[in-house]
């Protein structure tokens, strides 16, 4: 048997819908204020899709940019994995819709549900196809239209989320760059802290589920916050330790953007250098599966992400799901 091949990210593309929802806009919808939102979350504004624009539309735009960056056509891909919690519909999968809209003939794919950890989980799922030699090019997309499941009368959730997408292409690495290690964990006992109760097989859609606002995100903010602060740092420490690394060795820390305070708490505990920490939550809010590729793009635009850099990705999300990836940036 041939030894496993290392997967690398060979291209990145991102997309956010143009319409902005600012803190000032939210002040008109619910009892909140700019200062509270900024201090408690770090968010100034988020992008919101227009009516009729779905997750697959954002995903396709991001995918096209990644393909163009690498000079590939859609049919050059072997598979498309879409991490999302807001699929266009329950089925067919958003991956099927993206495959069709891209015109990626002969390419297969599937959706992956892990909420805010979906991008890191999908990244590792895709990397396994490269590692085994089964595939040469896998597109991994994180995309969400969170505004489609947010209750804009609930001030505790509506200030947090936004819409956005990011796509990367995975290919075999010929050098020592690419994936180094990953650590994933779920704790299903946290399911009741962040969830959308309506529309699945347990509570199929009825007038009653609509009346009871069951098709919106429900969150125990403090429970999620406490879990995220503890587990994100634990997972980062564990993966660094088992690779003989310290926080200060990380060149670029690209965390899920859920709350600025969760990110800085992780950075402090893990001993990350402040300049290595990528934060763009102020501009996008929490785009769920979109945050990490969007933050990769921010790092790149700020000149902080260069070939060979040691990168640590980290996410905690509904489930609870936890995922960290250690890699060397390769494009
Ligand atoms: C949601 C979150 C920002 C709330 O911040 P917090 O500091 O925990 O705030 P609390 O929930 O304790 O609420 C404190 C007060 O602010 C109020 N409040 C909540 N949302 C508010 C808003 N948008 N504007 C003004 N006040 C608000 C609460 O009603 C509460 O008032 P009270 O003390 O009179 O009852 C924070 O808990 C959080 O970020 N949690 C994690 C969320 C997350 O990451 N979700 C995605 C998972 S990946």
């Amino acid at each position: 048997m041939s030894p496993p091949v290392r997967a690398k990210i060979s291209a990145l593309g991102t997309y956010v819908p143009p319409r902005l929802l600012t803190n000032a806009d939210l002040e008109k919808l619910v009892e909140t204020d700019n200062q509270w939102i900024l201090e408690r979350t770090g968010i100034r504004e988020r992008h919101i899709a227009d009516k009729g624009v779905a997750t697959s539309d954002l995903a396709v735009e991001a995918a096209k940019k990644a393909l163009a960056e690498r000079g590939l056509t859609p049919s050059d891909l072997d598979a498309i994995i879409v991490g999302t919690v807001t699929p266009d519909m329950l089925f067919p999968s958003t991956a099927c819709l993206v495959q069709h809209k891209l015109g990626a003939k002969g390419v297969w794919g599937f959706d992956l549900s892990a909420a805010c950890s979906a991008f890191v989980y999908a990244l590792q799922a895709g990397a396994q196809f490269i590692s085994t030699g089964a595939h040469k090019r896998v597109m991994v997309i994180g995309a969400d239209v969170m505004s489609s499941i947010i209750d804009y009368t609930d001030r505790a959730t509506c200030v947090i989320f936004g819409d956005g997408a990011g796509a990367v292409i995975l290919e075999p690495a010929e050098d020592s760059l690419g994936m180094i290690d990953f650590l994933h964990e779920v704790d299903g006992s946290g399911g009741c802290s962040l969830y959308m109760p309506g529309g699945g097989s347990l509570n199929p859609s009825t007038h009653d589920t609509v009346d009871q606002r069951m098709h919106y995100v429900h969150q125990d903010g403090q429970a999620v916050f406490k879990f995220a602060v503890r587990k994100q740092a634990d997972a980062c420490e564990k993966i660094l330790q088992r690779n003989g690394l310290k926080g200060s060795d990380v060149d670029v820390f690209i965390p899920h953007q859920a709350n600025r305070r969760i990110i800085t708490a992780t950075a402090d505990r893990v001993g990350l250098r402040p300049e290595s920490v990528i934060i763009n939550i102020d501009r996008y809010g929490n785009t769920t599966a979109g945050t990490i590729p969007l933050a990769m793009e921010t790092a790149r635009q700020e000149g902080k992400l260069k070939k060979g850099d040691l990168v640590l990705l980290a996410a905690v999300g509904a489930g609870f799901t936890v995922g960290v990836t250690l890699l060397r940036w390769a494009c």
Side-chain angles (χ1 to χ4, degrees):
M1 238 175 71
S2 48
V5 181
R6 208 179 249 239
K8 68 169 185 185
I9 293 174
S10 63
L12 167 69
T14 59
Y15 180 77
V16 288
R19 187 153 64 95
L20 283 178
L21 181 69
T22 65
N23 289 354
D25 296 329
L26 286 163
E27 283 177 1
K28 293 178 202 140
L29 295 178
V30 287
E31 204 184 321
T32 190
D33 60 86
N34 176 49
Q35 196 186 344
W36 190 96
I37 302 172
L38 252 182
E39 280 176 13
R40 305 310 292 165
T41 70
I43 305 168
R44 289 178 190 279
E45 59 191 27
R46 26 356 245 129
H47 291 251
I48 301 292
D50 284 331
K51 201 169 181 301
V53 175
T55 294
S56 66
D57 298 312
L58 273 53
V60 163
E61 292 305 317
K64 282 181 181 168
K65 287 190 194 171
L67 288 165
E69 182 172 298
R70 187 73 182 100
L72 296 173
T73 67
S75 301
D76 291 328
L77 300 171
D78 295 306
I80 299 169
I81 308 174
V82 180
T84 188
V85 80
T86 52
D88 288 27
M89 50 193 99
L90 273 179
F91 69 89
S93 72
T94 304
C96 292
L97 303 174
V98 170
Q99 180 270 344
H100 179 62
K101 286 181 183 180
L102 280 176
K105 281 214 163 50
V107 180
W108 77 291
F110 59 92
D111 286 5
L112 188 151
S113 175
C116 296
S117 305
F119 183 79
V120 282
Y121 282 20
L123 193 67
Q124 287 309 327
Q128 304 315 308
F129 292 114
I130 302 289
S131 287
T132 58
H135 289 328
K136 292 278 179 244
R137 293 185 187 117
V138 178
M139 176 163 275
V140 173
I141 304 174
D144 271 301
V145 176
M146 292 306 291
S147 59
S148 65
I149 55 167
I150 291 299
D151 180 353
Y152 285 96
T153 65
D154 175 12
R155 69 176 182 174
T157 51
C158 74
V159 301
I160 297 173
F161 294 96
D163 304 338
V168 297
I169 299 172
L170 293 174
E171 296 186 59
E174 302 81 31
D175 45 30
S176 59
L177 305 181
M179 302 296 165
I180 299 170
D181 195 6
F182 74 95
L183 190 160
H184 293 172
E185 194 181 322
V186 301
D187 178 355
S189 70
C192 53
S193 295
L194 182 52
Y195 67 120
M196 191 179 86
S201 54
L202 180 61
N203 299 301
S205 310
T206 61
H207 286 291
D208 199 38
T209 61
V210 173
D211 290 344
Q212 291 186 48
R213 311 186 89 73
M214 288 167 76
H215 299 274
Y216 292 127
V217 169
H218 292 248
Q219 172 172 264
D220 176 347
Q222 284 194 13
V224 177
F225 188 91
K226 282 182 195 155
F227 183 85
V229 164
R230 182 167 57 85
K231 291 302 289 193
Q232 189 161 273
D234 281 356
C236 288
E237 280 180 337
K238 229 184 254 179
I239 201 168
L240 288 172
Q241 201 176 19
R242 76 183 185 197
N243 285 277
L245 295 162
K246 302 187 296 298
S248 55
D249 294 325
V250 173
D251 295 308
V252 195
F253 177 56
I254 303 182
H256 169 54
Q257 311 280 314
N259 185 312
R260 192 186 179 96
R261 291 181 293 140
I262 296 174
I263 299 172
T264 51
T266 305
D268 287 349
R269 219 190 91 188
V270 180
L272 299 164
R273 289 175 293 110
E275 63 275 21
S276 71
V277 180
I278 306 302
I279 301 181
N280 65 6
I281 193 171
D282 52 322
R283 279 165 278 162
Y284 301 116
N286 181 351
T287 57
T288 303
T291 59
I292 288 183
L294 281 167
M296 285 174 171
E297 188 59 64
T298 295
R300 212 157 65 157
Q301 283 168 5
E302 290 176 353
K304 289 183 173 173
L305 190 55
K306 298 177 294 299
K307 197 168 178 172
D309 278 349
L310 182 68
V311 177
L312 180 61
L313 312 177
V316 173
F320 291 125
T321 54
V322 183
V324 291
T325 287
L326 194 61
L327 58 91
R328 285 219 177 261
W329 193 249
C331 60

